Every structure is written in C-alpha cells, then in structure tokens.
Amino acid sequence: MSFVPPGTGWPDDPASAATPVARDPSDVRELAAASRTLAELTARQSVCRACPRLVAWREEVAEVKRRAFADETYWGRPVAGWGDEHPRVLIVGLAPAAHGGNRTGRIFTGDRSGDWLFASLHRTGLATQATSTHAGDGQKLIGARMVASVRCAPPANKPLAEEKAACFPWLAREIALVAPDVRVVVALGGFAWQAMWPALKEAGYALPRSRPRFGHGVEVEVSYEGAPVTLLGCYHPSQQNTFTGRVTAEMLDAVFTRAGELAV
C-alpha cells in the first residue's frame, strides 16, 4: 500500500473509511462547500484524489521513499489543515514537502523548513514544542493554525495552475470557517501570498482593490465583517533561504512576534 488508508490508526488522522472522496475538481467544490465544520472539511481534504498527477507522485514517493526513511511508513495522502480550531493567527504555505508532510502526515513537519518554522513558533509562544517530527508527537499550536494552498506534495515543489485551481475550494472554505476568530494571516513565501488573496475574497474578506507586493515583514490591513485583520508577509524558511542567510531565525521571530502582538 503506497498510502495510509483512512481510519486505520495513523495518529490524528481526520478521516475514516466512510469519508467521501473527491475524484475531480467538481467533487472538490461540492464537498468543500458542504463541509460545515473543520473536522468534516479536514477529513475530506485528507482523502482527496482530484488531481491525477499529484496522486501518482505522492504515492510513488511514499512507495519508493528516501533512503534515510526507508523503514518508515509514509502518509502518502493530502495533508490537511492543522492547529487551533479557533485561531487568532493563520499561517499559509504553498504545499507539503515530498519527504516532509507527505511522509509525516502533518504540514511543515519532518523537514528542514519545519525545523526552522516550529523553532520560531515555539520561541514566540505560538507552539508548545520547538520541534515537530510526526503526527501525534505531542506538538500543539497555541492560537494558531496552518494551511497550504495545495494539499498534496507536487513534483519539483511546483504544482500546476490547474492543480492550484482544483485545490482552491479546500483553502477558501477553511479560511471561511476560521475567519470569525482570525486577526492575523501570515503568508510564508510569495506563492502563498498570491494564493491567499483570492481565497480571502472568496471567504468574505474586504480587500484593497490592488494587491500589494509581497515582501518580508510587509503588513496590509484588511477586514472581516468589520473587524480588522492584518496580512503579514514572511520569507519562506526553505533550505535555499536559510542556507544563504536570506532568512534568519531573528527574521522569523520578528514576524511571529508581530503576529502575536496583533492577534491579542
């Protein structure tokens, strides 16, 4: 089996064998719109099979594996949103990593980017632990939630335009479900910054007419049902960025400290 069947005991698996499966983009739209709770939505996200190329890739990776993880079982399914059900801070990324979230079953977990991210979240009071290695490892987010614009690991970390579009209803519906509580949205990287704007609009946010350019530390004020919400840009803690010094621990801490201040 090249993926973990839902309801078979994987820690924090949101789905069961009875969870409906989206098999094309129209199914995604229908199932996302009909999800009334985060639990229902994340369960459906985690079994989606709407994009054939992504399904084939994530399951091939789970079967072949990386040598360092050859003895591990890979999740091999879409990686659902995760964290506080009533978040004040929403963190948006692009997609799970092939040997990170696709292996561990949790977004930003089990790879170098996640090592940097969770360490910063812990230092700034948004996570209970400095590390995140696997679903069910005891890690919890404090007043924060993580989502991705694309829920499956894509080849070369580059989802196609049609795959982004197919996955869009999952993101928009999740943003809508948590919107009453959210006061800060942090975009990790330029791709996440671009992806979140149409999702915010779909979820009912009042946005400026022109989209501000992405940048580290950029702040944009929007609103949801009259309540102020701040959008924050943050460089992605990828190996390319951290190895070259484009992103430092201090830079990440500054963004998440600011997010915590604005979320009060």
Side-chain angles (χ1 to χ4, degrees):
M1 179 66 69
S2 56
F3 64 92
V4 174
T8 55
W10 186 278
D12 299 332
D13 186 347
S16 71
T19 300
V21 178
R23 299 190 181 279
D24 58 40
S26 64
D27 283 351
V28 174
R29 291 191 295 272
E30 178 181 343
L31 290 173
S35 298
R36 300 304 172 196
T37 66
L38 280 175
E40 191 171 47
L41 181 70
T42 55
R44 293 171 176 184
Q45 290 171 358
S46 77
V47 295
C48 183
R49 302 184 68 82
C51 299
R53 188 183 80 115
L54 296 186
V55 170
W57 173 251
R58 77 191 191 210
E59 294 180 6
E60 178 184 343
V61 170
E63 183 72 25
V64 176
K65 306 180 183 180
R66 178 174 285 173
R67 182 177 298 178
F69 309 122
D71 294 333
E72 294 188 22
T73 298
Y74 274 51
W75 172 249
R77 285 165 44 194
V79 181
W82 174 77
D84 198 315
E85 292 191 359
H86 299 280
R88 303 289 285 179
V89 178
L90 184 65
I91 302 166
V92 183
L94 175 61
H99 302 281
N102 188 57
R103 172 176 62 90
T104 65
R106 183 196 289 157
I107 188 170
F108 283 113
T109 294
D111 59 28
R112 292 290 182 86
S113 296
D115 292 345
W116 278 73
L117 178 60
F118 279 101
S120 181
L121 293 174
H122 179 65
R123 288 192 298 268
T124 56
L126 294 174
T128 59
Q129 298 176 183
T131 60
S132 182
T133 58
H134 210 283
D137 63 1
Q139 176 67 280
K140 294 184 182 300
L141 297 180
I142 303 169
R145 186 173 185 84
M146 294 180 172
V147 297
S149 60
V150 174
R151 306 302 166 117
C152 294
N157 292 321
K158 294 180 179 179
L160 302 178
E162 56 266 34
E163 292 162 350
K164 295 177 185 178
C167 211
F168 176 81
W170 295 133
L171 176 64
R173 183 59 182 152
E174 189 155 3
I175 287 176
L177 286 172
V178 299
D181 299 296
V182 169
R183 291 299 171 263
V184 184
V185 182
V186 179
L188 293 175
F191 288 114
W193 181 264
Q194 295 298 321
M196 76 179 186
W197 284 86
L200 292 168
K201 182 178 181 180
E202 180 78 11
Y205 281 76
L207 305 174
R209 289 188 177 183
S210 60
R211 185 180 303 174
R213 293 183 63 181
F214 171 75
H216 188 82
V218 166
E219 296 188 18
V220 180
E221 186 169 305
V222 300
S223 65
Y224 180 80
E225 296 185 345
V229 179
T230 303
L231 311 183
L232 288 177
C234 181
Y235 288 155
H236 194 287
S238 64
Q239 288 191 55
Q240 180 179 0
N241 284 342
T242 56
F243 282 2
T244 60
R246 187 168 190 246
V247 172
T248 65
E250 290 76 17
M251 290 170 66
L252 290 177
D253 289 358
V255 168
F256 289 113
T257 296
R258 179 62 173 156
E261 293 169 349
L262 291 166
V264 175

